[in-house]
Amino acid sequence: MTAQFLSEVQAALGSAAIKTAPADIEHHAIDWRKRFFGKPLAVIFPANTEQVAQVVRLANQHKVALVPQGGNTGLSGGATPDASGTQAILSLTRLTRVRHQDAANKTITVEAGVSLQRVQELAEEMGLLFPLSLGAEGSATIGGNLATNAGGTGVLRYGNARDLCLGVEVVTPSGEIWNGLRALRKDNTGYDLRDLFIGSEGTLGLITAAVLKLYPRPKGVMTALVKIAGPEDAFRLLQIAQSRCDAALTAFEYMSAESTQVVIDHFPEVARHGAQIIGGMTTDASPAAASGKTSARSDCVLMEISHAESERAATALLESVIGSALEEGVVLDAIVAQTLAQTKALWHLRETITLGAAEDGAQVKLDIALPISALVDFIDQMNTEMLSAFPGVRLHNFGHFGDGNLHYNIGAPRYLAAGKSPEERRKIYLGYVEENEQAIRRLVHDRVVAMNGSISAEHGLGQLRKNEARRYKTAIEFELMSKIKLALDPNGILNPGKVL
Ligand code: FAD
Ligand code: MLT
Ligand code: ZN
């Protein structure tokens, strides 16, 4: 069956479009965090939408499961096949055409395999902005961004991937092509199929192209790093910033001291650049600095303000926020990046947390959302409960505080690996995480759900959280989702074992 499938795919697409040699497919078979190890039958690389549809039709005929994959940067194991050797990965990375650019309509239509960074560059060439932004943007694809409804650092102002997409082209699980590439901001003509496919993590259809929404480029974008005493002051700072800036506040990222420690430990050069700026932070204006309250390691907020008119206007707005916050004793100290290089160094520090954590070793990775009004209570209560249940764990939490989205990550106790080599350390941390992961997840997720939150804000369920989701979703919600899956994909061809 599978051999026949492969030979028919080869006949249709050509032999260069299929890879089966272990060395060629290994990096497609493991997820970015190296927590899921699959054994794919093959990796198939169609070159266009029609070829995607051909592969899906053959998969139906031969009952072969397909696992869609873009840049393979997902953090929930959604793009990794199981270990049966019967599932084929369908890579969308050869679909890289830019189909249409319409500066007047502020839209761009690209195929699924175009990287997020390329779309940002194309938008810039058009004098516009594509505001989706995340650490993996060099490798992550637009198809993957939409399939996971990715978030990132610009959600506060511009929304997540769903909010930035006007239309999609989809290959259905039966191999038909639906051209829903509408470039309309309003369209009330029945059920919203586009939104059904966005965020479905490759279980309901293959996104092959999309119409993306662009924005005017702000003339002034200013960034500040602000030291705070803790989450409560992050919340108070957010209130001040939003009341003064409203939509001009374009990013508000919280970084606990423990979360930046992994950057200091494993990417010292990145930390050094950040630290040079942080080192120059103390200002005469700061009462905290005068009282000596600032320390090298503290919780921080990275705050960005964008202004349509000018850099000067953005700076004035940012300084007025910081001024009020200093007066109210909300911040310990703050620095506004003065050059592009400083701005980049600060963002680099923030974006390197994930790499630093990966280098450190395994962690329990969480991606929770709460009403913003409940975040501070959550962190306070959860930190206490966590440290009492799992003494010595590191509270690596950081994230998109302004959206109510925290990566409340938990690292193994540092003392476990004191004096060990990096290799031994990673082995010890992995052992700890494997032993305690389920209990830690349960502790956090129970509290999150009790406080009306979500167990995944932006990374999706994939295979990492699908059992958890089953536990927390009501029977009716789960049943409705299952019915939709069955109606669209009766043979269970697309990404089985994920989400549901
Ligand atoms: P993949 O990993 O290849 O796939 C992800 C899921 O989408 C899988 O279920 C797959 O089956 C499905 N899929 C992929 N392409 C298609 C398609 N064309 N049609 C249908 N299904 C498809 N995520 C955030 O939301 N916010 C962040 O801030 C963020 N930061 C990150 C930082 C780092 C360093 C890393 C490694 C990851 C980060 N991520 C973040 C997670 C990840 O980058 C995003 O989820 C991204 O959107 C995935 O894109 P991808 O092309 O790599 O998809
Ligand atoms: C981020 O916000 O940096 C990403 O979502 C990645 C992560 O959670 O590590
Ligand atoms: Zn994130």
Side-chain angles (χ1 to χ4, degrees):
M1 200 77 119
T2 51
Q4 186 62 22
F5 166 72
L6 287 183
S7 83
E8 289 182 27
V9 171
Q10 188 166 327
L13 271 58
S15 55
I18 303 186
K19 288 185 183 165
T20 51
D24 291 339
I25 64 176
E26 196 186 28
H27 62 286
H28 292 278
I30 304 169
D31 75 309
W32 190 89
R33 289 177 64 220
K34 301 190 174 51
R35 294 301 306 279
F36 296 100
F37 296 82
K39 189 167 174 278
L41 169 69
V43 185
I44 303 170
F45 296 89
N48 53 48
T49 303
E50 184 45 50
Q51 287 194 355
V52 173
Q54 273 179 297
V55 176
V56 178
R57 287 196 291 270
L58 289 171
N60 265 283
Q61 216 173 306
H62 296 284
K63 306 282 181 291
V64 171
L66 297 173
V67 179
Q69 192 175 90
N72 200 18
T73 67
L75 296 172
S76 307
T80 312
D82 68 14
S84 67
T86 61
Q87 302 186 334
I89 292 173
L90 195 146
S91 170
L92 282 302
T93 50
R94 282 179 72 205
L95 275 70
T96 53
R97 280 195 316 133
V98 177
R99 297 217 191 142
H100 189 55
Q101 287 169 274
D102 185 345
N105 195 41
K106 296 192 184 56
T107 49
I108 185 167
T109 307
V110 297
E111 292 187 345
V114 177
S115 76
L116 170 54
Q117 189 176 318
R118 184 71 194 123
V119 174
Q120 293 166 347
E121 288 163 1
L122 288 162
E124 188 171 355
E125 286 163 21
M126 293 164 73
L128 295 167
L129 174 76
F130 184 60
L132 191 68
S133 176
L134 45 90
E137 60 203 21
S139 321
T141 61
I142 287 300
N145 296 153
L146 290 170
T148 57
N149 185 25
T153 54
V155 175
L156 185 63
R157 158 71 178 91
Y158 299 101
N160 49 23
R162 183 189 302 285
D163 300 310
L164 298 171
C165 177
L166 295 179
V168 286
E169 176 186 84
V170 167
V171 171
T172 69
S174 53
E176 286 154 322
I177 299 169
W178 173 52
N179 184 335
L181 292 173
R182 294 168 194 144
L184 305 173
R185 283 166 178 80
K186 298 182 102 172
D187 175 24
N188 277 353
T189 53
Y191 302 145
D192 199 330
L193 297 179
R194 173 197 64 198
D195 276 352
L196 192 57
F197 293 111
I198 296 175
S200 68
E201 301 184 54
T203 61
L204 298 181
L206 288 142
I207 298 170
T208 48
V211 183
L212 304 171
K213 214 160 135 182
L214 306 178
Y215 283 84
R217 286 190 88 73
K219 297 238 167 41
V221 180
M222 296 303 292
T223 306
L225 187 77
V226 181
K227 279 190 189 180
I228 47 165
E232 190 175 341
D233 285 345
F235 178 76
R236 290 169 65 201
L237 178 61
L238 178 65
Q239 303 310 307
I240 294 172
Q242 285 187 318
S243 68
R244 284 188 170 252
C245 310
D246 192 14
L249 181 68
T250 40
F252 193 94
E253 296 285 313
Y254 167 73
M255 301 182 276
S256 68
E258 198 67 80
S259 74
T260 43
Q261 186 62 44
V262 288
V263 183
I264 296 167
D265 289 347
H266 304 295
F267 291 90
E269 72 292 356
V270 176
R272 203 168 47 245
H273 280 131
Q276 277 165 1
I277 303 166
I278 297 165
M281 208 175 209
T282 305
T283 59
D284 292 337
S286 158
S291 70
K293 257 169 79 188
T294 42
S295 71
R297 285 183 71 238
S298 32
D299 289 5
C300 287
V301 166
L302 192 58
M303 196 164 64
E304 182 190 82
I305 285 182
S306 305
H307 202 286
E309 278 164 26
S310 68
E311 211 163 83
R312 183 186 290 210
T315 309
L317 207 47
L318 189 51
E319 285 177 350
S320 84
V321 171
I322 293 171
S324 299
L326 282 166
E327 256 169 47
E328 290 184 32
V330 169
V331 308
L332 297 174
D333 206 349
I335 188 158
V336 176
Q338 298 297 328
T339 61
L340 191 60
Q342 286 192 346
T343 306
K344 281 188 177 161
L346 291 181
W347 276 107
H348 201 192
L349 181 72
R350 160 64 182 85
E351 299 295 9
T352 306
I353 294 175
T354 306
L355 289 170
E359 189 58 32
D360 193 62
Q363 295 191 331
V364 181
K365 210 154 171 49
L366 295 148
D367 173 37
I368 60 160
L370 284 156
I372 294 160
S373 50
L375 262 185
V376 176
D377 281 351
F378 170 82
I379 298 173
D380 283 351
Q381 292 167 23
M382 199 69 250
N383 285 357
T384 308
E385 198 177 349
M386 185 62 65
L387 288 171
S388 129
F390 299 92
V393 289
R394 286 171 291 157
L395 307 168
H396 280 275
N397 50 79
F398 70 99
H400 319 291
F401 195 98
D403 308 325
N405 173 196
L406 264 194
H407 300 303
Y408 190 84
N409 297 341
I410 302 297
R414 193 187 290 277
Y415 68 82
L416 291 178
K420 304 285 184 193
S421 70
E423 208 172 294
E424 287 171 316
R425 180 190 71 230
R426 281 193 281 271
K427 220 166 141 191
I428 291 168
Y429 287 175
L430 181 62
Y432 182 90
V433 166
E434 281 178 348
E435 193 182 328
N436 297 294
E437 177 152 25
Q438 220 188 333
I440 291 176
R441 283 188 182 282
R442 187 58 54 83
L443 198 65
V444 176
H445 288 166
D446 278 356
R447 184 173 288 280
V448 164
V449 172
M451 293 175 85
N452 299 317
S454 165
I455 66 166
S456 180
E458 55 175 18
H459 296 164
L461 300 178
Q463 44 186 318
L464 180 66
R465 298 186 185 85
K466 70 164 185 166
N467 292 333
E468 298 277 293
R470 180 96 206 237
R471 179 176 150 86
Y472 296 112
K473 283 200 182 290
T474 59
I476 177 71
E477 190 171 359
F478 191 80
E479 192 189 323
L480 286 170
M481 283 171 61
S482 303
K483 280 183 178 163
I484 291 170
K485 170 71 176 170
L486 195 65
L488 267 70
D489 187 12
N491 294 329
I493 295 298
L494 277 193
N495 225 359
K498 314 290 165 52
V499 180
L500 290 169

